[in-house]
Amino acid sequence: MYNRFGNLNLSVIIIMKNYSQICLKLTEFLASYLEKSGAKGFVLGVSGGIDSAVVAALCKCTGFDTHALLMPAKHSSERNLSDALKLCSDLKITHKIIEIQPILESFVAQIGEPLPNLRMGNLSARARMCLLYDYSARVNALVVGTSNKSERMLGYGTIYGDMACALNPIGELFKTEIYELARELGIDEKIIAKAPSADLWEGQSDEADIGYSYERLDEILRLAQSKSEDELARKFDPKLVATVFLKMRANKFKLSLPPVASLE
């Protein structure tokens, strides 16, 4: 079930919509990688959203220690924090709350100018990842990513921020598939039903930022893996197709390691 790059190949199981089998394969992937790494457990940021909830549940299913950091800022939703705390309690995983607002204010003070939402969002994501990697060194754990395939293909994430991790169990699952996996794992329906948000600023919504629902986006993203932009524009809303392909082209660099100059 692994391709030549060592990544888990879920395509056949996903097509069959066998989410019980997907849970098993992802749990095996996490446990196998951890055992080979020599680390003792997993650590991830738990936001109160569906992606981190699914990843936390998968990590817990391995039987290895799972640690959660809850890292709210000034504009973070109280509901999300409450849902994150309940998830940790339900899963019986250790957790720690670290308020990142003082960290962000210190950065902004040194930068010397107010930051627009996008820059502040990127700064928040990178501050959280710094804390995760520091905590991982403290407890000898692997940082587990929580970016789904829809986000990765669209580049909807911060490079060296929420996209940074040692391994990612859900990176080949589209957002709409994450909902099905969440139900298979028994995630609280309150988390499943809420509007997706990275919680980077007050009132922020993933689908509002992108301009389309994940249901519509995923339909195009699935086909974009094998069909051209022109082909899809003849069958679907041309504006939607153009938006998807523009974001894929503009953010492709986020999915690759930085190029290194050859001296040969």
Side-chain angles (χ1 to χ4, degrees), residues 39 60 86 175 242 264:
K60 177 66 178 181
K86 185 177 185 300
K175 183 72 172 189
E264 295 180 358

Side-chain angles (χ1 to χ4, degrees), residues 230-255:
D230 288 342
E231 287 179 287
L232 294 180
R234 290 194 291 269
K235 298 180 180 179
F236 298 93
D237 175 2
K239 184 178 178 182
L240 168 59
V241 173
T243 297
V244 167
F245 276 83
L246 177 63
K247 289 183 178 295
M248 287 172 57
R249 287 192 294 267
N251 293 289
K252 187 177 180 180
F253 73 97
K254 294 183 180 181
L255 301 181

Side-chain angles (χ1 to χ4, degrees), residues 86-103:
K86 185 177 185 300
L87 176 80
C88 293
S89 176
D90 289 345
L91 294 177
K92 295 181 173 57
I93 59 177
T94 60
H95 68 276
K96 181 178 181 179
I97 300 175
I98 302 178
E99 298 278 352
I100 68 167
Q101 192 61 35
I103 299 171

Side-chain angles (χ1 to χ4, degrees), residues 14 17 19 173-181 222:
I14 290 172
K17 302 297 181 185
Y19 288 97
L173 290 166
F174 290 105
K175 183 72 172 189
T176 46
E177 293 164 340
I178 296 295
Y179 288 101
E180 299 302 322
L181 189 59
R222 283 189 183 91

Side-chain angles (χ1 to χ4, degrees), residues 96-166:
K96 181 178 181 179
I97 300 175
I98 302 178
E99 298 278 352
I100 68 167
Q101 192 61 35
I103 299 171
L104 300 179
E105 290 173 358
S106 176
F107 268 105
V108 172
Q110 293 302 314
I111 292 169
E113 62 180 275
L115 299 187
N117 283 343
L118 181 59
R119 286 175 64 187
M120 182 58 78
N122 285 333
L123 189 63
S124 300
R126 291 181 177 127
R128 290 181 172 115
M129 195 50 58
C130 286
L131 293 169
L132 281 168
Y133 271 94
D134 175 70
Y135 196 84
S136 77
R138 175 187 167 193
V139 298
N140 190 17
L142 297 178
V143 175
V144 187
T146 61
S147 295
N148 59 66
K149 189 167 187 173
S150 306
E151 293 170 339
R152 293 175 65 244
M153 289 182 71
L154 293 168
Y156 194 70
T158 301
I159 190 169
Y160 310 122
D162 54 310
M163 297 183 77
C165 59

